[in-house]
């Protein structure tokens, strides 16, 4: 599980578990410092990582399937009540970790052994750090540095 504190003090928690070949992501929140919790929403699918994006209940779920332009992601602006699927342009491989800043800048660590059902072999054994400056719409590799 992962936790985030909203600007208004609300605590958000992301819970996930395996359900056959898929994972189920559930987002819950507490408005009283963790004494009580309420379920907001959930999503089932093949996911590698879920990250808090900031704002008021914004999360990004990174998938394990590559689309034509890059990794597929699901974004929720409302703690999981609704999700929108979109490609993360340029992000190739299973995301092991990601961190978003409120400015729209973020980083994602990709690599290691591939867990995708149909992985891209070019990225299965390469560790790469990607950066986005637009909240996750497009990604650029920043490490390892380009070869000279």
């Amino acid at each position: 599980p992962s936790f985030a504190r909203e600007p208004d003090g609300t605590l958000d928690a992301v819970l996930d578990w395996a359900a056959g070949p898929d994972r189920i992501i559930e987002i819950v929140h507490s408005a009283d410092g963790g004494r009580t919790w309420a379920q907001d929403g959930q999503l089932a699918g093949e996911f590698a990582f879920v990250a808090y994006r900031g704002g008021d209940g914004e999360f990004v779920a990174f998938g394990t399937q590559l689309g034509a332009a890059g990794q597929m992601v699901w974004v929720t602006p409302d703690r999981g009540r609704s999700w929108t699927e979109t490609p993360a342009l340029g992000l190739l491989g299973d995301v092991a970790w990601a961190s978003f800043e409120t400015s729209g800048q973020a980083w994602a660590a990709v690599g290691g052994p591939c867990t995708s059902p149909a992985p891209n072999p070019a990225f299965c054994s390469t560790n790469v750090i990607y950066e986005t400056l637009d909240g996750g719409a497009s990604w650029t590799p920043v490490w390892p540095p380009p070869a000279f």
Side-chain angles (χ1 to χ4, degrees), residues 3 5 19 29 35 39 74 78-79 85 87 103-105 121:
F3 296 89
R5 185 175 299 276
H29 78 276
R35 288 186 293 280
Q39 179 182 4
W74 289 260
D78 55 11
R79 291 189 181 98
E85 181 181 10
S103 65
Q105 185 176 22

Side-chain angles (χ1 to χ4, degrees), residues 33-110:
R35 288 186 293 280
T36 61
W37 293 86
Q39 179 182 4
D40 291 300
Q42 62 179 226
L43 180 67
E46 296 180 19
F47 305 107
F49 189 80
V50 181
Y52 174 67
R53 190 164 76 173
D56 186 19
E58 293 183 26
F59 290 85
V60 177
F62 294 89
T64 60
Q65 298 287 334
L66 287 176
Q71 197 71 25
M72 297 305 294
V73 298
W74 289 260
V75 178
T76 179
D78 55 11
R79 291 189 181 98
R81 291 182 199 94
S82 62
W83 295 86
T84 302
E85 181 181 10
T86 184
L89 301 177
L91 186 62
L92 302 172
D94 289 351
V95 173
W97 177 86
S99 177
F100 284 84
E101 300 290 329
T102 56
S103 65
Q105 185 176 22
W107 300 268
V110 173

Side-chain angles (χ1 to χ4, degrees), residues 8-25:
D8 67 0
T10 299
L11 294 172
D12 292 322
V14 176
L15 312 171
D16 66 278
W17 61 89
D22 292 342
R23 289 173 67 183
I24 296 175
I25 297 167

